Amino acid sequence: KSAVALYRARESGQDFLFYSAEMNRRSLARVMLDTELRYALERNEFLLHYQPQYHQQTGRIVGAEALVRWKHPRRGLVPPSEFIPFAEETGLILLIGEWIAQEVIRQVGEWNRQGLSLPRLSLNLSAKQFRPGLVERLQALCEQHGVRTEQLELEVTETLLMHGDAQTTDLIHALSEAGFALALDDFGSGYSNLAYLHRFPFDTLKIDRSFVSGLPGNNSNAALVRAILGIAESLGIEPIAEGVETAEEAHFLLQHGCPRYQGFLFSRPLPLDGFVSLLDAQP
Ligand code: C2E
Ligand code: MG
Ligand code: MG
Ligand code: MG
């Protein structure tokens, strides 16, 4: 709505005009964000940070998760929460996800040639990316960059599994057969269904930060985490805790059979240089 229409609406008390003006403003913002994200792809404004995964018993980095950021020309570093859900809605996640996969796999290939030892790198896949051709595309990128599929772990969330359609189920099994490791991300944050763990070939179970925080003082979290760890063990799935921020949380996890964690206590997600220095500094 034009300023004139807005003014008239105010004068005559037509609230619905304000409402539609508000809606127009919101859809305008969405169109702008969509345009900006397309530019961002063209201008190569996305980048990856790497958050190490730490093993408390060996004191070593056992992997890392690649996390996307957007280096916006004016807004600075924009976190994924401000554009990934939107990109998932509009479908732009397919293009952004392609960029992420290329960048992650290219990077692992480069580390391979440099002889840098990182056991495994994880990347997040959104549900929208589960379409025919996914497995072949990831395999082709691995071949192109000299990366073994075993060097990559693909993180998915429970929302992908909820609908239980045959295409998704087949793709998950095909990814596993191609050698990619699979992680169930944010376990406990959504519609946690233990049957998923049994039905799909997960290698790793990532316990959501909401369960980890406040351990061991938070009694219900402590009981839930113990139960989850028991199930993971009986199914032969490697657990890792997300969002560990305190020594108490880390200690509880270690005591209960979860020596691996990813969290600010060990390290925040780091830019490439910082992450590589951390890896190099390992004994
Ligand atoms: P996620 O996959 O569960 O990633 C873990 C998030 O937890 C990261 O947030 C990380 O910075 C944060 N985190 C790690 N340790 C701690 C901690 O100790 N305390 C706290 N408070 N937070 C911690 P980030 O990077 O902002 O990413 C948020 C979400 O955005 C991710 O959650 C993931 O769902 C999505 N995302 C990030 N990168 C990608 C990507 O490349 N592709 C897709 N599809 N989604 C992505
Ligand atoms: Mg993740
Ligand atoms: Mg997670
Ligand atoms: Mg999480």
Side-chain angles (χ1 to χ4, degrees):
K1 285 281 173 261
S2 69
V4 175
L6 257 179
Y7 176 76
R8 287 203 186 118
R10 192 175 300 154
E11 290 296 279
S12 58
Q14 285 173 290
D15 283 351
F16 89 96
L17 277 182
F18 282 113
Y19 180 66
S20 79
E22 167 63 22
M23 279 181 29
N24 281 348
R25 199 148 46 75
R26 220 177 288 162
S27 55
L28 182 63
R30 291 173 60 88
V31 170
M32 280 170 60
L33 181 56
D34 191 67
T35 309
E36 276 197 302
L37 284 170
R38 289 173 191 277
Y39 270 125
L41 276 165
E42 265 174 44
R43 296 177 187 153
N44 211 14
E45 288 172 2
F46 294 108
L47 70 149
L48 296 175
H49 279 185
Y50 301 87
Q51 187 176 34
Q53 300 175 335
Y54 179 69
H55 195 294
Q56 295 194 64
Q57 272 154 343
T58 61
R60 295 192 64 84
I61 295 168
V62 289
E65 179 176 11
L67 295 157
V68 71
R69 273 94 182 92
W70 176 14
K71 197 171 176 196
H72 192 282
R74 279 170 293 108
R75 289 160 69 196
L77 217 54
V78 182
S81 57
E82 287 179 33
F83 62 93
I84 291 285
F86 175 80
E88 284 174 343
E89 269 179 54
T90 64
L92 203 54
I93 191 66
L94 292 175
L95 293 177
I96 299 176
E98 166 66 19
W99 181 88
I100 293 165
Q102 280 182 26
E103 185 59 16
V104 163
I105 296 170
R106 188 197 60 73
Q107 188 60 69
V108 174
E110 198 175 310
W111 287 337
N112 283 348
R113 283 184 295 280
Q114 292 169 353
L116 188 120
S117 88
L118 178 70
R120 200 151 70 187
L121 189 64
S122 301
L123 73 139
N124 295 281
L125 288 182
S126 117
K128 282 270 167 69
Q129 292 176 271
F130 280 75
R131 309 204 319 166
L134 172 68
V135 188
E136 293 76 10
R137 180 62 188 143
L138 293 174
Q139 279 177 311
L141 284 169
C142 284
E143 236 164 79
Q144 183 189 341
H145 294 284
V147 171
R148 286 174 291 108
T149 52
E150 290 78 11
Q151 293 184 277
L152 295 177
E153 179 163 79
L154 309 173
E155 299 193 2
V156 302
T157 60
E158 289 161 293
T159 44
L160 173 70
L161 315 174
M162 263 164 45
H163 312 292
D165 58 296
Q167 176 178 285
T168 303
T169 306
D170 290 351
L171 284 170
I172 291 174
H173 283 95
L175 286 169
S176 174
E177 273 151 34
F180 296 104
L182 292 173
L184 183 53
D185 202 359
D186 301 341
F187 188 77
S189 70
Y191 307 84
S192 303
N193 184 339
L194 294 173
Y196 296 148
L197 291 176
H198 184 64
R199 211 180 308 146
F200 296 100
F202 286 112
D203 303 274
T204 306
L205 178 66
K206 300 193 80 173
I207 304 171
D208 193 64
R209 186 167 84 85
S210 59
F211 278 1
V212 168
S213 97
L215 290 175
N218 184 326
N219 287 332
S220 60
N221 270 4
L224 285 166
V225 167
R226 275 202 303 269
I228 293 170
L229 291 175
I231 290 156
E233 193 184 8
S234 66
L235 292 174
I237 302 173
E238 194 77 51
I240 179 165
E242 295 191 276
V244 174
E245 292 182 352
T246 71
E248 290 72 28
E249 292 164 357
H251 183 73
F252 178 92
L253 289 160
L254 180 61
Q255 293 298 305
H256 293 86
C258 184
R260 290 170 191 243
Y261 77 81
Q262 191 184 325
F264 295 171
L265 177 64
F266 181 70
S267 171
R268 288 182 175 262
L270 300 169
L272 178 64
D273 290 357
F275 176 65
V276 170
S277 318
L278 193 67
L279 268 184
D280 281 341
Q282 280 198 106

